[in-house]
Amino acid sequence: STNIGIASVKLPSCMNGYALDRGAKQHFPSFSTFISNVSQKRDTGSQNFSPQFIHPGGRHVRELPPICPDVRQKQRISIDTLPIEAKAPFPSDPVIPLRTKTIKEFQYDVERATASGDWRTVQDFYLTTFDSFLELNAAFKVNNVASFTSDHTIEDSGVNTKFVSTVYDALIHTPPDIQKSVLKGIINMKLAFSYGHDVTAASAVSLQNPQYSSMNTYVIYAHLLRQITALAEADHHFLVHWFKKLSPRRFKALVERLLNFISTRLLPARPEELPPMAKCSWWIPSATKVLALLNAANSISTPPIIPFTDFYNLTLDHIDIMEDYQTWQTHGNSNRFSFCQYPFILSTVTKKAIIQRDSEQQMISMARQSLVDKVSRRQRVDMSLLFLNIKVRRQQLLSDSLDELSRKRADLKKKLKVTFVGEAGLDMGGLTKEWFLLLVRQIFHTDFGMFTYLKDSNCHWFSSWKCDNFSEFRLVGALMGLAVYNSITLDIHFPPCCYKKLLSPPVLPCDQNMPVGVTTLTLDDLQQVMPDLAHGLRELLSYEGNVEEDFCSTFQVFQEELGIIKSYNLRPGGDKIPVTNQNRKEYVQLYIDFLLNKSIYKQFAAFYCGFHSVCASNALLLLRPEEVEILVCGSPELDMNALQKVTQYEGYSKVDPTIRCFWDVVLAFPLELQKKLLHFATGSDRVPVGGMTDLNFKIAKIDVSNDWLPVSHTCFNQICLPPYKSKKEMKQKLTIAISNAEGFGLE
């Protein structure tokens, strides 16, 4: 017998025959290993998997051949091919009941029942359908003649999904007694559960039941989820591919139902309506693991079925996630559940909080170590040693900054404080923001030569010129790491593939010879950097004529470096290898790899090492490339209406004439002036993770003459406004102030 969490049942004889002659015994990966494998395949762009069948709880398991579309057919062994001594009655598949009801017939039955009030025919259909897994599969089979095994492939579950949707849509509008009978039938199915051919498809069908949106059905829903997680690895593989066939609306409904289930169990509005947490601690892990199957299906779909942000559970933004993070740090992807094992469920806000807290702990640790070192040497303790102190002159901002970062590399993990020489401003956060903003502008200026600005894609890319020293790229990487480490957003424009490379691998490897910042990139990635070239390569791939004669290209490419055209072979002897119809795919892939990986390898490797020298944290393992970009750059989308709603006032109220004038002027500003206003008030023109509500923006009254210009305190995201009387005066003074916002002083 095998413990499946609902009842102990004996494996049917057909399962014993099904495992006949499958090869040597093996240890099989865990559920989380399967999901992580799917994620890795997503990153490499591959959609082929070879997981293995495993029976949960079984002592002896055998390796199966790699899964292929007709795996269920090919794994059958014909009894005629067996030697005489091995011939025995071969266990047959369960007999599938013959169900002939069509969608139109069912819809007609529902319409007639709605009109007459006689629901007996419809009730009989539901009672029969949800009587067993076999009946459930039979009702929704596309082909009622073929056996269940032959109708079952990795790309096609053999289920009429349109009929399933029609039946479930009708169910929620039927009388309560029919809905209760369906739930009763589902309970009986769970109690009679056994491993077999029918279970996987029936589980996929059962999961779509809209009744599980009600908290009253959560006990039944939880057992279904645990049953799905207990399926074999290969059955999870089938489910992933079947889920991606669902319509976006149905798929999203499944995801939202699971997220609501997790949120309700985590923070129930009426705890008395649910079993005690001690008795159902497996609910959340089971739901999260099923959600992981849906996330895997979404990841291998091109394009994704729904945005990855739809998997975020915002309830987790309101719990102490650090305890979960510490559990994950300690136990990793072991049998001890933590949300960090499934980072797709954590929002960017939650991940930022983890990184922030992790950074603070590292800062405290570094400061404590510095104090201990001073005391142990009996030296005088200076409080400045607790910080990374950067002193720069505005006129030599770039050279001073790079020199300071280079000299104080050992202090990079301390709290950052910036001083502008000759200015009296004290850094409570505002000077740091100003320093980052001005420094980024200079570093990415084309005159500096480290980065090339590409007009077609409106982004910066690494210059491919060769030099003997790439330390400046390392310092730029450290600068970007400092921004993340100190929760500062930067106005930089790297293409998305840059962040993919930055997470390849997500943690700096111990082996210094291991390549870093290299990943498999596609034409879609090149499109975001060099759209014209990507378009030309697409035309090459789709060209129907003779590529060799018409294009006259070889496996040699040319690149301009500091005004000199240089040639590079994509393959050894590439200048003598023509591009043909047969090898053009290889040519395109090698060209992409050359442009985005090989030609800038040393520059990006230095940049990568600089970034990870500051952001050396396992928290980076939780991030997608898109999320790293949001953490580094914030959001460029300004919503001044949202800012108005969350603004706090000191000395004013939101109905004061001065405040009304202020918002009338600001909301009418063009985007460029709105960005300048945000920079004037906060030290950055980017919106942080979490949106405008995270700015804690404040407008305070200052009792001075109306001849004064507005004053800001960027450390506290505050604007001080004199009581201007008219909209014209407000616009004039505010425009002057925000257009000349450099330099700091003390009041």
Side-chain angles (χ1 to χ4, degrees):
S1 66
T2 302
N3 184 9
I4 61 169
I6 301 173
S8 287
V9 296
K10 192 172 184 179
L11 282 174
S13 59
C14 65
M15 282 300 290
N16 296 328
Y18 192 69
L20 182 65
D21 194 23
R22 299 295 187 238
K25 300 174 184 176
Q26 296 281 344
H27 291 289
F28 291 84
S30 65
F31 181 93
S32 58
T33 305
F34 168 73
I35 295 303
S36 65
N37 288 341
V38 172
S39 298
Q40 290 172 9
K41 293 292 183 182
R42 174 202 69 199
D43 294 337
T44 60
S46 174
Q47 298 185 15
N48 298 317
F49 308 96
S50 297
Q52 298 153 316
F53 275 50
I54 178 173
H55 179 264
R59 291 185 179 179
H60 302 290
V61 291
R62 296 178 181 273
E63 185 178 10
L64 291 179
I67 291 181
C68 55
D70 56 349
V71 64
R72 304 269 183 179
Q73 299 177 50
K74 290 188 177 180
Q75 289 175 66
R76 276 289 168 215
I77 298 177
S78 172
I79 197 169
D80 296 328
T81 64
L82 294 175
I84 296 175
E85 61 272 15
K87 288 189 178 182
F90 197 86
S92 60
D93 284 335
V95 178
I96 303 295
L98 184 62
R99 301 286 296 277
T100 59
K101 176 103 40 182
T102 65
I103 297 178
K104 287 185 177 181
E105 290 171 346
F106 174 77
Q107 289 173 328
Y108 174 75
D109 290 343
V110 172
E111 290 171 4
R112 189 174 60 177
T114 304
S116 66
D118 184 358
W119 289 87
R120 283 176 295 180
T121 303
V122 175
Q123 185 170 23
D124 288 344
F125 173 84
Y126 280 112
L127 285 173
T128 305
T129 299
F130 290 92
D131 179 64
S132 68
F133 285 127
L134 285 175
E135 290 285 357
L136 192 63
N137 285 323
F140 299 119
K141 271 177 59 62
V142 174
N143 184 354
N144 281 307
V145 178
S147 68
F148 188 81
T149 302
S150 63
D151 212 28
H152 216 51
T153 69
I154 195 168
E155 293 299 333
D156 184 6
S157 62
V159 172
N160 187 334
T161 55
K162 187 176 180 181
F163 196 4
V164 173
S165 300
T166 302
V167 169
Y168 279 140
D169 288 343
L171 176 61
I172 57 178
H173 300 294
T174 60
D177 58 329
I178 295 181
Q179 297 188 38
K180 289 179 182 177
S181 66
V182 169
L183 291 174
K184 184 178 179 181
I186 292 172
I187 293 172
N188 291 332
M189 276 196 289
K190 302 295 178 290
L191 294 175
F193 171 77
S194 64
Y195 294 96
H197 300 296
D198 56 331
V199 174
T200 308
S203 297
V205 172
S206 299
L207 194 64
Q208 299 176 55
N209 191 337
Q211 291 177 292
Y212 296 136
S213 298
S214 170
M215 197 166 72
N216 297 329
T217 65
Y218 274 6
V219 173
I220 304 172
Y221 190 35
H223 279 86
L224 171 64
L225 298 176
R226 181 153 72 169
Q227 173 187 304
I228 291 173
T229 61
L231 291 172
E233 287 269 339
D235 288 320
H236 289 153
H237 180 41
F238 276 84
L239 285 174
V240 165
H241 283 269
W242 293 344
F243 284 150
K244 73 177 187 177
K245 300 292 185 181
L246 294 174
S247 69
R249 185 170 71 88
R250 301 287 174 184
F251 189 90
K252 187 172 183 179
L254 286 181
V255 172
E256 289 179 345
R257 198 173 295 135
L258 285 162
L259 291 174
N260 289 335
F261 176 82
I262 293 169
S263 298
T264 304
R265 178 62 278 183
L266 199 61
L267 299 173
R270 300 183 298 277
E272 67 279 358
E273 296 186 11
L274 293 175
M277 179 62 89
K279 292 186 177 181
C280 57
S281 57
W282 50 271
W283 282 24
I284 291 176
S286 296
T288 306
K289 290 171 182 177
V290 174
L291 196 62
L293 294 174
L294 289 161
N295 179 63
N298 195 58
S299 299
I300 64 174
S301 299
T302 306
I305 305 167
I306 59 177
F308 70 88
T309 53
D310 285 353
F311 284 89
Y312 288 167
N313 190 322
L314 301 184
T315 302
L316 301 179
D317 294 352
H318 306 288
I319 67 171
D320 183 7
I321 198 67
M322 288 309 292
E323 182 179 350
D324 186 272
Y325 178 68
Q326 295 301 335
T327 299
W328 177 65
Q329 288 271 76
T330 304
H331 299 280
N333 291 326
S334 65
N335 292 329
R336 179 116 179 231
F337 173 80
S338 68
F339 285 113
C340 290
Q341 290 174 300
Y342 306 92
F344 63 83
I345 201 173
L346 303 177
S347 72
T348 312
V349 172
T350 301
K351 290 171 183 173
K352 181 191 175 185
I354 292 174
I355 290 174
Q356 213 165 353
R357 291 279 293 278
D358 196 48
S359 299
E360 289 170 0
Q361 290 172 6
Q362 291 187 49
M363 288 177 184
I364 292 170
S365 177
M366 286 293 296
R368 184 185 293 120
Q369 186 61 46
S370 296
L371 282 173
V372 169
D373 290 344
K374 283 283 186 181
V375 172
S376 63
R377 295 174 191 154
R378 297 186 179 182
Q379 296 176 340
R380 181 181 175 183
V381 176
D382 183 355
M383 294 307 292
S384 65
L385 63 85
L386 302 179
F387 300 95
L388 169 59
N389 295 288
I390 301 292
K391 293 184 179 181
V392 293
R393 298 164 292 177
R394 283 189 183 270
Q395 293 74 20
Q396 283 80 34
L397 180 70
L398 186 57
S399 58
D400 284 0
S401 299
L402 295 180
D403 183 56
E404 286 277 88
L405 291 175
S406 182
R407 288 192 301 107
K408 299 177 179 178
R409 192 172 295 178
D411 295 332
L412 291 178
K413 290 201 171 188
K414 295 179 180 178
K415 180 68 177 175
L416 178 62
K417 279 191 175 296
V418 175
T419 302
F420 286 98
V421 176
E423 298 182 20
L426 296 177
D427 190 7
M428 300 297 289
L431 273 69
T432 296
K433 295 177 187 177
E434 171 89 353
W435 176 69
F436 273 113
L437 184 75
L438 298 177
L439 195 55
V440 164
R441 283 181 187 170
Q442 291 195 27
I443 286 175
F444 285 90
H445 197 283
T446 53
D447 291 346
F448 195 53
M450 290 180 67
F451 299 94
T452 302
Y453 179 70
L454 304 171
K455 291 183 180 179
D456 292 339
S457 55
N458 189 32
C459 69
H460 288 96
W461 192 241
F462 295 76
S463 295
S464 58
W465 50 265
K466 305 297 185 292
C467 65
D468 296 329
N469 186 2
F470 295 96
S471 60
E472 289 181 338
F473 284 99
R474 183 184 179 96
L475 292 174
V476 174
L479 181 73
M480 198 164 93
L482 279 173
V484 174
Y485 197 66
N486 289 271
S487 301
I488 304 294
T489 55
L490 301 178
D491 184 18
I492 59 179
H493 302 275
F494 281 133
C497 64
C498 175
Y499 301 98
K500 289 183 182 180
K501 291 166 65 67
L502 205 56
L503 292 180
S504 301
V507 176
L508 188 67
C510 298
D511 183 0
Q512 294 184 356
N513 295 321
M514 180 178 175
V516 295
V518 177
T519 187
T520 302
L521 299 170
T522 66
L523 262 177
D524 290 335
D525 296 304
L526 185 64
Q527 177 78 32
Q528 296 165 337
V529 185
M530 305 169 187
D532 288 344
L533 178 58
H535 177 72
L537 292 176
R538 288 187 196 279
E539 288 191 337
L540 171 65
L541 291 175
S542 61
Y543 187 67
E544 296 180 357
N546 189 310
V547 170
E548 182 177 358
E549 292 181 0
D550 297 344
F551 281 80
C552 300
S553 296
T554 64
F555 277 70
Q556 184 182 59
V557 294
F558 300 89
Q559 196 168 51
E560 182 180 347
E561 296 177 10
L562 299 177
I564 301 173
I565 303 297
K566 294 187 177 181
S567 62
Y568 296 92
N569 287 342
L570 300 179
R571 283 173 51 181
D575 56 324
K576 296 180 176 58
I577 303 174
V579 178
T580 66
N581 294 64
Q582 290 71 36
N583 64 18
R584 56 183 169 180
K585 287 185 179 179
E586 180 191 7
Y587 169 79
V588 169
Q589 191 54 51
L590 288 173
Y591 199 1
I592 294 169
D593 184 56
F594 171 77
L595 290 171
L596 303 183
N597 284 321
K598 291 181 178 177
S599 67
I600 58 161
Y601 176 74
K602 291 184 178 179
Q603 295 90 321
F604 196 91
F607 176 80
Y608 172 97
C609 292
F611 179 83
H612 287 273
S613 68
V614 183
C615 290
S617 169
N618 284 336
L620 290 177
L621 293 168
L622 306 175
L623 296 172
R624 295 173 58 98
E626 300 93 333
E627 293 167 333
V628 177
E629 182 177 11
I630 292 173
L631 286 176
V632 171
C633 305
S635 171
E637 303 297 326
L638 301 188
D639 186 350
M640 287 299 175
N641 289 300
L643 183 62
Q644 181 182 10
K645 291 176 183 177
V646 299
T647 298
Q648 304 169 37
Y649 301 97
E650 188 177 297
Y652 287 118
S653 70
K654 61 182 180 181
V655 296
D656 281 335
T658 301
I659 297 302
R660 287 182 175 177
C661 287
F662 175 83
W663 287 113
D664 286 344
V665 168
V666 169
L667 294 175
F669 270 161
L671 179 61
E672 195 58 37
L673 283 180
Q674 288 180 344
K675 285 188 173 184
K676 286 185 176 182
L677 172 70
L678 196 63
H679 170 233
F680 174 70
T682 69
S684 172
D685 62 358
R686 313 287 286 187
V687 180
V689 176
M692 290 294 194
T693 54
D694 275 11
L695 280 177
N696 296 317
F697 185 63
K698 182 184 288 186
I699 299 177
K701 187 174 184 178
I702 178 172
D703 291 319
V704 295
S705 167
N706 286 6
D707 293 334
W708 279 49
L709 294 174
V711 176
S712 69
H713 299 289
T714 55
C715 303
F716 309 108
N717 298 337
Q718 183 182 64
I719 288 180
C720 298
L721 278 180
Y724 300 126
K725 301 298 183 184
S726 69
K727 201 183 295 185
K728 181 180 179 181
E729 186 180 22
M730 174 70 73
K731 182 177 181 180
Q732 181 188 18
K733 297 293 174 62
L734 192 58
T735 303
I736 294 173
I738 65 178
S739 300
N740 298 274
E742 273 191 25
F744 291 85
L746 288 176
E747 294 181 353

